[in-house]
Amino acid sequence: MFTTYKEALDWIHARLRLGIKPGLKRMEWMMDRLGHPETKIKTVHIGGTNGKGSTVTYLRSILQEAGYTVGTFTSPYIEQFNERISVNGKPITDQEILELTNVILPLANELEETDLGGPTEFEVITAMSFYYFANYPEIDIVLYEVGLGGRFDSTNIVQPLASIITNIGLDHTNILGNTHEDIAFEKAGIIKERTPIFTAVKHPRALKVIEEQAEKKEASIYRLDQEFSIGAHESIQKGEIFTLQTTGDTLEKLEISMIGQHQTENAALAVSAVLYLNQHAFISVPEQAIRNGLKKAYWPGRFEVLSENPLVIIDGAHNDEGITALVHELSTRYANRNIQIIFAALKDKKLDKMIAKLDGIAAQISFVSFDFPRAANAEDLLKISQSANKFAVEDWQPYIKEEISHLPPNDMLIITGSLYFISEAKPIICQYLKNMTISL
């Protein structure tokens, strides 16, 4: 048994050595030993390539506004590990992490001796979350974000009230497949029998796969631009305004504080699911709670403005779709600014397209590496870039501080790339900006 939070966390992280082991057998084995806690909670299941965390946040914020106590399971974390298991947006305590780890530890040791092998890091954390939420009596509903794919993801043992697939992109192709159809099939694995599925997938062949799986499961399907649609979209200084039209409702001038046209799609998915759950008496959420919840929703590291002067933005654009959305927002919102970019990535991503898009808008682009097993080398990233003004930097912390302190008035600094890098960089940047403000 562990006696400290650090011991527990070190043990969890050490399980990264087991890598990713697709399949649900180990989760089912652990759930059986724990008395099937996954059956004792009401859930909504959220998958997709991008936008999962934001969609979870919109749902949570709306449900909280309506007075519900909402659990969330998300990954990866941005500010602290504990946030992966949260209640009403508040991460569970270090003591609770310690206690949960001690519940799972003997199961992991026993499982290690079977033909199934020991559970992975993600399986351990997922099992901890199910046990926690099932034994937290005040929880009304839990929002489960898929970790990877869907069909064989550790979270896919839930029987949710509704499922959501945000979008489909060519990410994790070494595991999920090389085509949109292959990836859509894996994502569509979260669709359950006679359980509604909401999706913002636009790629025609990917959408067709999802429609086919929904039909096989006799699941009602609600699609962006068909059963629900976005209109009258307007970007404002600190967010977006749009109208949501569904088959039964029209909600005009909905406002969100997260920046980006793509965020209107995530918000529309969340609201459409809430309206469905309302209509079928699973929840009771008034319209004002929807409006207030959307406006209050906040998810760190997603086009997050850390400072207005100097203008510093951090964004976890870690794949081609994320970079496309980032470039679109920078091009439309900040066309009159010189854009300086600092980029870090994992080496197993499709980096050529991502870097080419960043090259196209950057007055200066710098590539950095960071302490993570799968992190790409800065020099390797530099070689991919075609920019005339590019740099490779090994020690990113002093470099970012130097760039911020000497940022010209008409320039802006974008720190982007891997979410693992963003989670490491954000607290350091925020502390530096705070110190700058104090010294002025």
Side-chain angles (χ1 to χ4, degrees):
M1 290 297 183
F2 302 113
T3 57
T4 68
Y5 170 76
K6 184 180 184 307
E7 287 175 355
L9 207 58
D10 287 347
W11 177 77
I12 293 169
H13 289 328
R15 306 199 71 78
L16 276 169
R17 64 181 167 76
L18 298 174
I20 298 167
K21 300 196 291 187
L24 300 176
K25 295 292 186 184
R26 287 173 300 280
M27 283 302 300
E28 291 165 350
W29 188 97
M30 288 191 288
M31 292 302 101
D32 187 57
R33 292 294 194 280
L34 292 170
H36 289 285
E38 80 282 7
T39 65
K40 300 172 185 176
I41 51 179
K42 294 179 181 178
T43 61
V44 176
H45 203 189
I46 299 97
T49 301
N50 292 83
K52 298 186 294 292
S54 298
T55 303
V56 167
T57 301
Y58 290 124
L59 280 167
R60 175 184 60 76
S61 189
I62 290 168
L63 291 167
Q64 272 185 252
E65 281 295 307
Y68 291 99
T69 299
V70 188
T72 53
F73 178 74
T74 57
S75 62
Y77 65 93
I78 295 295
E79 292 169 350
Q80 64 170 133
F81 175 84
N82 301 27
E83 73 192 43
R84 297 182 73 165
I85 304 172
S86 296
V87 177
N88 284 353
K90 183 179 179 182
I92 64 173
T93 65
D94 292 358
Q95 181 62 30
E96 287 170 322
I97 290 285
L98 174 61
E99 291 170 2
L100 289 170
T101 308
N102 281 329
V103 169
I104 302 302
L105 175 63
L107 299 183
N109 290 339
E110 187 180 347
L111 192 51
E112 196 93 50
E113 300 304 315
T114 71
D115 292 340
L116 295 172
T120 66
E121 184 206 39
F122 190 73
E123 288 169 337
V124 164
I125 300 165
T126 308
M128 288 166 57
S129 75
F130 282 125
Y131 185 84
Y132 181 81
F133 291 129
N135 289 282
Y136 193 106
E138 291 83 13
I139 290 285
D140 296 307
I141 192 167
V142 184
L143 311 176
Y144 265 90
E145 179 187 339
V146 171
L148 175 65
R151 186 163 62 108
F152 292 127
D153 187 75
S154 305
T155 63
N156 202 30
I157 56 174
V158 296
Q159 293 295 325
L161 303 175
S163 303
I164 297 173
I165 299 175
T166 56
N167 58 23
I168 300 293
L170 295 177
D171 200 12
H172 300 292
T173 53
N174 58 322
I175 298 170
L176 302 179
N178 291 307
T179 69
H180 286 86
E181 295 95 318
D182 289 340
I183 294 175
F185 180 74
E186 296 300 326
K187 304 284 186 188
I190 70 170
I191 301 173
K192 302 297 191 301
E193 296 281 345
R194 297 182 178 87
T195 301
I197 175 71
F198 297 81
T199 185
V201 171
K202 296 176 182 176
H203 190 280
R205 295 193 302 277
L207 180 57
K208 188 172 186 294
V209 171
I210 291 169
E211 291 168 339
E212 288 170 351
Q213 292 304 309
E215 185 176 358
K216 285 181 183 178
K217 301 287 179 64
E218 298 182 37
S220 303
I221 187 166
Y222 299 86
R223 297 158 289 192
L224 178 65
D225 297 331
Q226 295 189 53
E227 288 75 22
F228 65 98
S229 60
I230 295 166
H233 170 236
E234 174 190 354
S235 291
I236 55 177
Q237 184 178 1
K238 294 188 177 180
E240 315 288 335
I241 294 174
F242 67 100
T243 293
L244 175 66
Q245 177 77 53
T246 73
T247 51
D249 298 272
T250 300
L251 298 179
E252 297 182 349
K253 294 188 178 300
L254 295 172
E255 184 176 341
I256 57 176
S257 300
M258 290 198 274
I259 291 172
Q261 182 177 346
H262 59 290
Q263 290 292 1
T264 65
E265 297 178 4
N266 298 328
L269 280 168
V271 175
S272 297
V274 166
L275 293 174
Y276 173 92
L277 295 175
N278 255 353
Q279 290 161 5
H280 291 78
F282 291 116
I283 57 176
S284 178
V285 176
E287 182 179 324
Q288 197 55 50
I290 292 174
R291 293 184 177 277
N292 293 347
L294 285 180
K295 192 169 182 179
K296 291 180 181 179
Y298 158 75
W299 188 235
R302 273 63 172 183
F303 209 95
E304 184 179 1
V305 179
L306 300 183
S307 168
E308 296 278 1
N309 185 25
L311 183 52
V312 180
I313 295 174
I314 196 165
D315 186 66
H318 59 282
N319 54 31
D320 189 43
E321 287 72 26
I323 292 291
T324 299
L326 171 63
V327 167
H328 172 78
E329 291 307 315
L330 291 174
S331 300
T332 53
R333 286 178 174 270
Y334 300 103
N336 62 335
R337 293 265 194 170
N338 289 321
I339 299 169
Q340 296 189 31
I341 293 176
I342 295 174
F343 180 71
L346 301 184
K347 57 189 173 186
D348 52 10
K349 298 289 182 177
K350 293 185 177 296
L351 297 168
D352 50 350
K353 289 184 179 179
M354 297 165 65
I355 291 174
K357 289 173 182 176
L358 294 176
D359 282 346
I361 60 162
Q364 173 184 304
I365 185 164
S366 303
F367 300 99
V368 301
S369 189
F370 63 107
D371 187 16
F372 190 76
R374 290 156 50 210
N377 181 274
E379 288 289 345
D380 291 337
L381 296 174
L382 184 77
K383 291 172 186 174
I384 299 171
S385 173
Q386 299 298 311
S387 173
N389 195 14
K390 59 183 180 179
F391 303 93
V393 180
E394 287 305 321
D395 193 355
W396 61 265
Q397 291 192 33
Y399 181 74
I400 287 181
K401 294 174 184 178
E402 185 73 12
E403 290 298 291
I404 291 173
S405 64
H406 292 95
L407 199 65
N410 197 48
D411 284 23
M412 63 188 299
L413 182 63
I414 310 297
I415 300 99
T416 189
S418 167
L419 285 169
Y420 295 101
F421 173 65
I422 296 302
S423 68
E424 189 176 333
K426 182 185 171 183
I428 292 167
I429 296 168
C430 287
Q431 185 59 52
Y432 181 70
L433 288 166
K434 182 179 179 182
N435 292 342
M436 280 181 66
T437 304
I438 292 171
S439 64
L440 290 177

